[in-house]
Amino acid sequence: MIDIQSDVSLLPYNTFQVDVQAKYFVDIHQEEDLEELFETGIFAKEKHLILWWGANVLFTQDINGLVIKVSLKGIECLSWLDVSSLKSPLPPFQKGGSKVLVQAMAGEDWSGFVEYCNRKWRAGIENLIAIPGQVGTAPVSNIGAYGMEIGERVVWVEGYDLEKKEWKKFDHEECGFAYRDSIFKSELRGKFLITRVVFALEQLSEEYLFKLDYPDVQRVLEERSINILDCRASLAMTPNSLEQVSEIISEIRASKLPDPNKIGTAGSFFANPIIKKSDFDLLIQKFPELISYPHGDEVKLSAGQLIDLAGLKGYSNGKAGTSSKHALIVINEWGSAEDVLEVVEHIQIVVKEKFGVALKPEVVYI
Ligand code: EPU
């Protein structure tokens, strides 16, 4: 039985801790609740906003419509997948072997899902621990960290097309995964309600290749005298090696990123900018210290470093600002969405003036 409430504060439902009101609000715990919701007059009449954990949004105004919070729960191992049977192999599948298909409902806590998989020796997402959000958000912004991107593991996404009013399944290729992007964030933003995601994970074995080459991870391994060349094998021998890796990543994140349970933040506010190689060649002559990563024919810069070099690490307008630990993290201490946006615009202007580079928000404005 669904309970549609009126005039609900969304303060508990966004990590930026912005207080806006939703005209209507409904929390969905079972797929049958959705069927019931679709029959209501409010669903037919009002605009819809889908909300998972509000970890990547900035509410800029009251929501004059129906907010649908997705709290569907459940994790299930579906089957073993013979990789050769796939029409279009996903990137990590190219090395062959069989994978475990694991289905998680959209309302599962993301980090809790990673921990569950670690405990069951299902490998492939251990580096994505401690990213705030829910399973349903993971494919939307193709969450990524420490050398892993969730799109590489998604086999299909199921849900309801709110415009066409039909259930639909998107295969990996149809999801349109790109750096911090997918069809659900672009073309289908607000139009597709994800209910379940199916991931292809690996059964942990000595052959499993951990992704440990990220500089921060290497530093911790060195500090703990773990030989980078041997650690794959030795970690894989240890029953809880996935948990060990996740623990290292969690520690790194905690040392660099503010805790969204303690302060208003949505993680990285901007995507790392991708610029033309010719523009980069000119820029690097002027700023030889710039960090860069190849990105196809283009070059990806570090937004955090640009903001830092622009002197804005720890900047504050009194209500909102950037973290003194990591310049890419915008924090909201006492402010409203306007205070956050003031900081964001200031950063964009200063970085553009200094480096000629436009910073685009990764966070979605609503
Ligand atoms: N840097 C600075 N000053 C700063 C912050 C960073 O110079 O204030 C430098 C760092 O020293 C480092 C480089 O910038 O050399 C990159 O920083 P970091 O390793 O922290 O990674 P990032 O590119 O800033 C991305 C993701 C993070 C993810 C990390 C680790 C994006 C937009 N962000 O950050 O994701 O955790 O890599 O893989 O791609 C998130 O999306 O919310 C998020 C935290």
Side-chain angles (χ1 to χ4, degrees), residues 56 131-132 144-147 179-180 214 216 253 256-257 266-272 291 293 300-309 313 323-329 362:
N56 207 34
I131 297 184
Y146 303 99
Y179 167 61
R180 287 297 196 277
Y214 200 87
D216 279 343
R253 289 185 71 94
K256 299 178 88 165
L257 308 173
S268 302
F269 196 93
F270 301 99
N272 285 326
I291 300 161
Y293 317 91
K300 186 151 84 173
L301 300 174
S302 157
Q305 190 200 27
L306 296 178
I307 300 168
D308 192 350
L309 291 175
K313 185 174 183 170
S323 164
S324 52
K325 288 181 176 178
H326 197 297
L328 186 53
I329 313 296
E362 193 216 315

Side-chain angles (χ1 to χ4, degrees), residues 29 71 78 107 133 161 201 205 209 274 300:
H29 293 273
S71 299
L78 290 186
D161 187 321
L201 303 178
S205 72
L209 298 178
I274 296 161
K300 186 151 84 173

Side-chain angles (χ1 to χ4, degrees), residues 13-83:
Y13 305 114
N14 71 102
T15 59
F16 248 123
Q17 297 173 14
V18 171
D19 193 6
V20 295
Q21 295 275 117
K23 185 173 170 197
Y24 295 109
F25 178 90
V26 65
D27 199 354
I28 297 296
H29 293 273
Q30 316 181 49
E31 274 175 311
E32 300 83 76
D33 292 350
L34 278 175
E35 298 285 0
E36 193 186 328
L37 177 70
F38 301 153
E39 297 302 315
T40 61
I42 290 182
F43 180 81
K45 261 203 334 260
E46 300 290 334
K47 278 192 269 173
H48 317 119
L49 172 72
I50 307 153
L51 186 69
W52 285 281
W53 206 63
N56 207 34
V57 295
L58 177 63
F59 290 126
T60 58
Q61 57 191 319
D62 286 340
I63 309 298
N64 185 21
L66 170 66
V67 172
I68 308 169
K69 175 158 168 23
V70 183
S71 299
L72 301 166
K73 296 279 194 297
I75 302 174
E76 204 182 329
C77 174
L78 290 186
S79 65
W80 291 87
L81 171 75
D82 176 9
V83 175

Side-chain angles (χ1 to χ4, degrees), residues 57-260:
V57 295
L58 177 63
F59 290 126
T60 58
Q61 57 191 319
D62 286 340
I63 309 298
N64 185 21
L66 170 66
V67 172
I68 308 169
K69 175 158 168 23
V70 183
S71 299
L72 301 166
K73 296 279 194 297
I75 302 174
E76 204 182 329
C77 174
L78 290 186
S79 65
W80 291 87
L81 171 75
D82 176 9
V83 175
S84 57
S85 70
L86 274 180
K87 272 189 299 188
S88 50
L90 312 181
F93 285 35
Q94 286 159 5
K95 297 224 168 64
S98 60
K99 314 281 165 196
V100 197
L101 286 196
V102 183
Q103 171 183 276
M105 301 305 284
E108 282 288 340
D109 171 62
W110 172 258
S111 209
F113 175 62
V114 175
E115 281 169 23
Y116 171 91
C117 294
N118 286 350
R119 281 197 303 277
K120 301 274 180 192
W121 291 32
R122 313 287 192 228
I125 53 173
E126 60 282 359
N127 292 16
L128 300 176
I129 190 84
I131 297 184
Q134 295 188 345
V135 164
T137 352
V140 177
S141 51
N142 188 13
I143 57 168
Y146 303 99
M148 285 183 181
E149 249 180 22
I150 198 53
E152 295 168 359
R153 293 284 165 191
V154 172
V155 191
W156 74 80
V157 170
E158 285 179 48
Y160 190 79
D161 187 321
L162 297 171
E163 274 199 340
K164 294 189 183 142
K165 307 219 179 322
E166 61 185 23
W167 292 95
K168 191 167 159 42
K169 178 171 155 183
F170 285 83
D171 288 336
H172 172 81
E173 290 207 335
E174 294 171 311
C175 293
F177 290 119
Y179 167 61
R180 287 297 196 277
D181 204 6
S182 73
I183 190 166
F184 312 109
K185 189 172 177 183
S186 52
E187 226 173 284
L188 294 178
R189 183 191 293 190
K191 297 178 190 159
F192 191 72
L193 190 151
I194 296 173
T195 53
R196 51 182 83 198
V197 185
V198 174
F199 303 91
L201 303 178
E202 327 246 347
Q203 182 64 29
L204 183 63
S205 72
E206 284 170 47
E207 279 88 57
Y208 176 66
L209 298 178
F210 282 91
K211 283 203 176 168
L212 303 167
D213 46 359
Y214 200 87
D216 279 343
V217 180
Q218 282 192 33
R219 182 180 44 75
V220 175
L221 291 172
E222 271 165 33
E223 276 166 19
R224 296 185 187 177
S225 309
I226 302 174
N227 183 335
I228 189 82
L229 294 173
D230 294 343
C231 66
R232 275 186 191 148
S234 62
L235 283 170
M237 299 287 279
T238 323
N240 64 356
S241 54
L242 292 171
E243 287 172 334
Q244 283 179 32
V245 171
S246 283
E247 206 180 290
I248 290 174
I249 302 277
S250 293
E251 279 176 29
I252 296 170
R253 289 185 71 94
S255 71
K256 299 178 88 165
L257 308 173
D259 181 350

